[in-house]
Amino acid sequence: MAHPPEEHHFHQHDAIKSGIKGSLFGAGAGFMTSAVQNSLAKTNVGSMGVFTRTGSTIATFTALGAVYTFSKDAAANLREKDDTLNETIAAFLGGATIGLRTGRIPQILGFGAAVSVIMTAFEYTGGSLRGGPRTEVPGMDEYDRKEYLRKNRRRPIEETIAEIGEGRGIQPPGYEERRRERLKEKYGYDIKPVSADVQ
């Protein structure tokens, strides 16, 4: 029996808070990337080269994180829906932020479109490199998840027997008597039950 789909009630997201968190995360990722760029430089630029020589990387990552997370939640709040289109809008604006370094409109639009296509496909197919969410209930470990799935999809034996029939190793209560009756009707031979207790 199919259950009617549950109506999802939309909850507003705090876009400012998300933007601040995204900018902090982006700044951390930008700092790490800038440090790697600085360490791979052929000339000795010193430790402050992370900020002076490759500091624009930190600024780009910070802006990318802020724009992406803010626009994703802002789009969700304006549309009052949590779906893939929010990801598309945010990814386009984030990609356009990357393209702003070049200052050319075709590259800004190209970066925005490319990042948008990749992130939309990623979000639409489950948002994980491992596949969709594994647990039906957050915080459930793998053993409990499998037990939940077994109980959730378990069907009564009567329903299974009604669909596939008896025999072939499926012997519900009263199977031997019904088998004896069928054999007697079809072949006219009466099979007497054999007792396992030999005296």
Side-chain angles (χ1 to χ4, degrees):
M1 180 175 175
H3 297 288
E6 293 182 14
E7 242 182 78
H8 176 68
H9 182 67
F10 177 77
H11 297 286
Q12 292 285 326
H13 302 286
D14 189 356
I16 303 285
K17 183 178 180 182
S18 296
I20 292 170
K21 282 184 179 178
S23 65
L24 291 174
F25 180 76
F31 178 77
M32 294 298 289
T33 306
S34 179
V36 169
Q37 287 176 334
N38 190 47
S39 68
L40 295 176
K42 296 199 182 283
T43 59
N44 188 7
V45 290
S47 61
M48 290 307 289
V50 172
F51 300 106
T52 57
R53 185 174 173 274
T54 56
S56 62
T57 303
I58 299 173
T60 302
F61 273 71
T62 304
L64 171 64
V67 168
Y68 176 79
T69 54
F70 175 82
S71 59
K72 182 177 179 182
D73 285 348
N77 290 341
L78 291 172
R79 297 178 61 243
E80 294 186 355
K81 290 182 184 176
D82 283 319
D83 59 2
T84 310
L85 187 56
N86 300 332
E87 188 79 27
T88 304
I89 294 167
F92 179 81
L93 293 174
T97 304
I98 297 171
L100 282 175
R101 290 177 75 171
T102 64
R104 300 181 62 203
I105 296 295
Q107 288 185 345
I108 293 171
L109 296 177
F111 273 112
V115 173
S116 179
V117 167
I118 292 168
M119 291 301 292
T120 301
F122 179 71
E123 179 70 22
Y124 185 75
T125 56
S128 172
L129 294 176
R130 287 181 23 180
R134 300 282 298 176
T135 58
E136 286 71 19
V137 179
M140 183 184 291
D141 66 353
E142 188 67 14
Y143 176 79
D144 290 336
R145 183 185 80 81
K146 287 183 179 180
E147 284 297 315
Y148 172 79
L149 290 175
R150 284 189 192 102
K151 289 177 186 172
N152 191 26
R153 289 171 174 73
R154 190 170 290 154
R155 299 168 60 188
I157 187 70
E158 294 82 18
E159 186 179 329
T160 304
I161 292 169
E163 280 189 26
I164 62 174
E166 299 177 328
R168 300 173 308 280
I170 300 172
Q171 298 179 356
Y175 170 72
E176 289 298 327
E177 291 82 17
R178 288 191 297 277
R179 181 173 178 264
R180 266 189 248 112
E181 289 173 13
R182 281 194 306 266
L183 290 174
K184 187 173 183 181
E185 287 175 12
K186 190 168 185 180
Y187 299 109
Y189 184 74
D190 191 20
I191 298 176
K192 303 222 180 338
V194 178
S195 175
D197 299 330
V198 179
Q199 295 184 8

